[in-house]
C-alpha cells in the first residue's frame, strides 16, 4: 500500500508540538485537577464544558478491515493524505453529537477484470472535496476510582451525511489517457471507533479509525460488482474543549468518582463533628468532676455544723458545754438552763412585728441554704426575743415546684435548719426551736407564674 508519508509526518509533528505547548499550561498540574475538576453530583449542565472542536490528519484508503482486497474494484489500494475537523456538543458524559467535515484523496491500482475478462483501467484517483456528516459519539468507559477524570476514553461513532467527490480513472492500453467525471454527490454512513487521551485539562489526543459506507459504487469511477464502495480513514488529532478552564469537560467527567468524593467529604465532616462533640463531652465531664469534688468538700465542711454528740440540740461546733446529760434543757451555747421560774409570757403585737420583719428580710443564695448577710440584723432581733421571753419557735421551709420533690424537700429542710443554727449561735435555746421542711407540698400561690413561685419560696416563723 502506497502512502504519502512525508506530508503525514509533517502534520503529525505540528500537532504534537502544539499539544506539548498546551500541556505546559497550569491546567495540567495536580492542584488544578484536584480543585477545578470536581463537580458535585447531579450538578446542572452549566457546571461543565460541553462544547469542543477537533482537528485530525490521517490516511484515506479504499481498503478497510472488513473487506478483502480481492473483492474491491481496484485490488491495489493506496494510502493518501486525509484531514478532518469537527465541532461536538456533549449531551451526557457518555454521549455527544458531532458535526464532521472531512476532505482528501483516494487512489488505487489494478482494476478488476470486467465480464469479458479484461481489466479496463490502470488505476484511479478521486478527489474528496468534502464529506459532511452528523454523528453520535458514544464514550464506552470513563471510570477511574483514583482520579476525578479518566485518562483514557474509548469511543465509537455512527452517523450519516453527504459527500462530494470527483473521480479520475487512467485507461489501460497503448494510447493511455484518463477520464475525469463531473462532481458527484452521495449519501454515506460513517462508522468508527477510537480512543482519546487527556493531555491536559482542556486538550485530548484523538486516535481513531472510521469506515465510510458510500451509497453507490462509483467513488473510484468504476462501477464493478454488486456492492457499494467503502473507504476508511485512520486519523490522529487534537480535541480542544471550549469554555472556562475552571470547569471540567463533561466528556471526561467521572460522575461515579464525584459521588465517591462527595461521600468521603461528608464522612470526613461527620468524623470531625464527632471528634468535636467528643472533646466537648470530655470538657463537660471534667467540669462535672470538679463540681462534684467541690460539693464533697462543702458537704464535709457542713457536716461539722450539724454533728450533735450529746443530743442536746446544739451542734458540737457551737456547744460550749459538751456531754450534757440526756434530757437536760440547754441554752443556745449548749449549757444547762437555770431552773425556770413560773412566769407566764404573752406574745405581743410588737413581738409578731419583729418576726414579720425577719421573714420579710430573709434571703438565701440561689438554690442553697446559705443565709445572705443582709438578713442577719432581723434574725438577731428574733434571737434576742427568744432569749428574753423564752418563746418557742417553729420554722417551716417551703419551695416552689421547680426541680424534683426530693431536692425541694431537702432544700426546704436545710434552710429551716440554717435559720435554727444561726439563732442558736446567737444564744437562742435550741430545744425550743423546731425546724421542719415541707418542700413544694404546701404552695400559697400558683406555681405557673414567676410571682407565684417567688411567694411559694419562703420560711414561715410561728412564735408561741
Amino acid at each position: 500500500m502506497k502512502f504519502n508519508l512525508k506530508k503525514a509526518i509533517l502534520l503529525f509533528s505540528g500537532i504534537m508540538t502544539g499539544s506539548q505547548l498546551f500541556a505546559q499550561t497550569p491546567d495540567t498540574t495536580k492542584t488544578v485537577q484536584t480543585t477545578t475538576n470536581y463537580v458535585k453530583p447531579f450538578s446542572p449542565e452549566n457546571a461543565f464544558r460541553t462544547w469542543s472542536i477537533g482537528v485530525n490528519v490521517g490516511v484515506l484508503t479504499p481498503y478497510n478491515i472488513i473487506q478483502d482486497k480481492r473483492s474491491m474494484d481496484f485490488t491495489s489500494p493506496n494510502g493518501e493524505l486525509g484531514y478532518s475537523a469537527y465541532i461536538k456538543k456533549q449531551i451526557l458524559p457518555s454521549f455527544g453529537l458531532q458535526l464532521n467535515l472531512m476532505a482528501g484523496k483516494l487512489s488505487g491500482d489494478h482494476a478488476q477484470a470486467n465480464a469479458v475478462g479484461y481489466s479496463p483501467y490502470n488505476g484511479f484517483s478521486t478527489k474528496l472535496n468534502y464529506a459532511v456528516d452528523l454523528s453520535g459519539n458514544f464514550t464506552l468507559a470513563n471510570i477511574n476510582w483514583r482520579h476525578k477524570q479518566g485518562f483514557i476514553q474509548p469511543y465509537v461513532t455512527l452517523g450519516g451525511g453527504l459527500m462530494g467527490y470527483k473521480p479520475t480513472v487512467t485507461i489501460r492500453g497503448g494510447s493511455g489517457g484518463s477520464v475525469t467525471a463531473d462532481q458527484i454527490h452521495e449519501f454515506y454512513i460513517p462508522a468508527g471507533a477510537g480512543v482519546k487521551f487527556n493531555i491536559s485539562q482542556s486538550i485530548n489526543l484523538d486516535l481513531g479509525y472510521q469506515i465510510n459506507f458510500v451509497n453507490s459504487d462509483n467513488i473510484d469511477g468504476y462501477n464493478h460488482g454488486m456492492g457499494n464502495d467503502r473507504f476508511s480513514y485512520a486519523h490522529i488529532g487534537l480535541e480542544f474543549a471550549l469554555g472556562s478552564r475552571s470547569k471540567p469537560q463533561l466528556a471526561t467527567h467521572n460522575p461515579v468518582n464525584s459521588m465517591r468524593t462527595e461521600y468521603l467529604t461528608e464522612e470526613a465532616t461527620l468524623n470531625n463533628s464527632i471528634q468535636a462533640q467528643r472533646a466537648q463531652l470530655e470538657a463537660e465531664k471534667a467540669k462535672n468532676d470538679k463540681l462534684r469534688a467541690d460539693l464533697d468538700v462543702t458537704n464535709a465542711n457542713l457536716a461539722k455544723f450539724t454533728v450533735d454528740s450529746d443530743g442536746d440540740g446544739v451542734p458540737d461546733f457551737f456547744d460550749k458545754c459538751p456531754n450534757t446529760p440526756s434530757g437536760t434543757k440547754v441554752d443556745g451555747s449548749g449549757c444547762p438552763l437555770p431552773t425556770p421560774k413560773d412566769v407566764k409570757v404573752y406574745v405581743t403585737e410588737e413581738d409578731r412585728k419583729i418576726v414579720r420583719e425577719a421573714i420579710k428580710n430573709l434571703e438565701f443564695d440561689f438554690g442553697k441554704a446559705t443565709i445572705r448577710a443582709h438578713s442577719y440584723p432581723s434574725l438577731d432581733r428574733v434571737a434576742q426575743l427568744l432569749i428574753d421571753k423564752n418563746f418557742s419557735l417553729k420554722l417551716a421551709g417551703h419551695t416552689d415546684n421547680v426541680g424534683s420533690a426530693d431536692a425541694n424537700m431537702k432544700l426546704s429542710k436545710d434552710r429551716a435548719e440554717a435559720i435554727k443554727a444561726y439563732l442558736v449561735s446567737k444564744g437562742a435555746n435550741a430545744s425550743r426551736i423546731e425546724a421542719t421542711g415541707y418542700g413544694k407540698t404546701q404552695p400559697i400561690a400558683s406555681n405557673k407564674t414567676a410571682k407565684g413561685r417567688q411567694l411559694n419560696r419562703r420560711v414561715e416563723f410561728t412564735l408561741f
Side-chain angles (χ1 to χ4, degrees):
M1 179 187 297
K2 296 180 181 179
F3 174 51
N4 195 332
L5 184 60
K6 182 177 180 181
K7 294 182 179 178
I9 290 176
L10 289 174
L11 284 174
F12 176 73
S13 299
I15 289 174
M16 294 309 296
T17 301
S19 70
Q20 291 298 318
L21 292 174
F22 280 107
Q24 293 173 13
T25 64
D27 279 348
T28 61
T29 64
K30 184 177 180 181
T31 301
V32 170
Q33 286 189 345
T34 57
T35 58
T36 65
N37 194 55
Y38 172 72
V39 175
K40 192 178 181 71
F42 311 110
S43 294
E45 181 182 295
N46 59 14
F48 303 91
R49 283 186 283 177
T50 58
W51 287 96
S52 61
I53 59 174
V55 291
N56 298 311
V57 63
V59 178
L60 280 171
T61 175
Y63 174 74
N64 58 85
I65 60 175
I66 63 173
Q67 185 177 13
D68 191 341
K69 292 181 182 179
R70 292 173 294 180
S71 66
M72 298 171 60
D73 293 349
F74 289 84
T75 59
S76 298
N78 299 326
E80 299 287 354
L81 179 66
Y83 43 92
S84 61
Y86 63 83
I87 181 169
K88 184 177 70 170
K89 167 65 175 177
Q90 197 72 26
I91 299 173
L92 299 170
S94 58
F95 175 72
L97 285 177
Q98 187 169 306
L99 181 64
N100 302 284
L101 173 63
M102 177 174 59
K105 179 182 177 182
L106 293 167
S107 68
D109 299 314
H110 306 125
Q112 290 269 23
N114 56 22
V116 296
Y118 175 70
S119 177
Y121 303 120
N122 285 326
F124 84 95
S125 175
T126 297
K127 183 178 181 181
L128 182 61
N129 294 316
Y130 71 89
V132 180
D133 66 81
L134 182 66
S135 299
N137 186 297
F138 302 86
T139 302
L140 301 180
N142 188 23
I143 296 177
N144 189 327
W145 289 104
R146 295 182 57 197
H147 304 288
K148 293 179 176 61
Q149 70 176 41
F151 174 66
I152 302 175
Q153 290 88 41
Y155 67 88
V156 296
T157 60
L158 180 65
L162 184 68
M163 64 168 58
Y165 56 89
K166 184 179 290 188
T168 299
V169 291
T170 303
I171 301 173
R172 179 189 296 272
S175 62
S178 63
V179 178
T180 300
D182 294 334
Q183 176 143 304
I184 302 171
H185 304 279
E186 286 290 354
F187 176 78
Y188 75 105
I189 296 175
V195 63
K196 291 182 180 179
F197 299 87
N198 307 132
I199 298 176
S200 74
Q201 185 75 6
S202 303
I203 305 174
N204 306 317
L205 177 65
D206 186 1
L207 300 176
Y209 180 78
Q210 176 179 306
I211 300 177
N212 301 278
F213 298 85
V214 185
N215 191 33
S216 69
D217 187 22
N218 63 356
I219 195 170
D220 52 15
Y222 183 30
N223 194 334
H224 179 274
M226 300 297 294
N228 291 337
D229 286 335
R230 307 166 192 167
F231 67 95
S232 64
Y233 176 48
H235 68 266
I236 182 173
L238 295 175
E239 181 182 37
F240 304 91
L242 304 178
S244 173
R245 291 184 180 182
S246 63
K247 298 179 181 180
Q249 300 179 51
L250 182 58
T252 63
H253 179 67
N254 184 353
V256 176
N257 187 268
S258 287
M259 287 188 284
R260 175 178 179 269
T261 300
E262 188 75 7
Y263 165 76
L264 293 177
T265 302
E266 291 181 357
E267 182 184 36
T269 302
L270 179 60
N271 287 335
N272 292 337
S273 176
I274 291 173
Q275 293 297 329
Q277 292 179 8
R278 185 172 297 167
Q280 184 177 0
L281 287 175
E282 291 295 330
E284 292 295 333
K285 182 180 178 182
K287 290 181 180 178
N288 290 339
D289 290 342
K290 186 178 185 304
L291 288 174
R292 186 175 291 108
D294 292 343
L295 182 59
D296 291 341
V297 173
T298 301
N299 288 337
N301 292 332
L302 290 175
K304 63 184 180 181
F305 293 100
T306 59
V307 176
D308 183 9
S309 301
D310 54 12
D312 59 1
V314 179
D316 291 352
F317 186 81
F318 302 107
D319 199 343
K320 297 179 181 179
C321 299
N323 302 318
T324 54
S326 178
T328 303
K329 294 183 177 181
V330 299
D331 59 17
S333 62
C335 296
L337 290 172
T339 302
K341 296 179 180 180
D342 188 14
V343 178
K344 192 171 186 179
V345 181
Y346 295 94
V347 179
T348 68
E349 182 59 26
E350 185 65 25
D351 298 333
R352 292 189 179 93
K353 182 179 179 181
I354 292 173
V355 172
R356 286 196 298 270
E357 286 293 325
I359 296 173
K360 180 180 178 181
N361 295 327
L362 182 61
E363 285 190 14
F364 294 90
D365 286 343
F366 180 76
K368 298 181 180 180
T370 305
I371 303 171
R372 292 186 174 176
H374 70 266
S375 302
Y376 293 161
S378 298
L379 291 176
D380 291 345
R381 288 192 288 272
V382 174
Q384 191 61 46
L385 180 62
L386 296 178
I387 294 171
D388 292 342
K389 295 190 175 183
N390 199 28
F391 284 148
S392 294
L393 180 65
K394 181 178 179 180
L395 301 170
H398 301 273
T399 66
D400 57 22
N401 68 341
V402 178
S404 66
D406 290 341
N408 282 325
M409 186 64 72
K410 183 178 183 304
L411 180 60
S412 64
K413 174 68 173 175
D414 289 345
R415 286 180 170 178
E417 288 289 348
I419 296 172
K420 177 181 177 180
Y422 181 85
L423 295 175
V424 171
S425 70
K426 296 298 181 178
N429 187 351
S431 64
R432 300 186 71 84
I433 302 175
E434 178 185 356
T436 306
Y438 293 97
K440 59 182 181 180
T441 61
Q442 297 181 10
I444 61 173
S446 172
N447 278 310
K448 294 182 179 180
T449 64
K451 183 177 180 181
R453 290 191 294 272
Q454 181 179 2
L455 292 173
N456 290 332
R457 297 191 294 269
R458 68 195 188 279
V459 178
E460 296 177 347
F461 290 55
T462 303
L463 193 62
F464 57 94

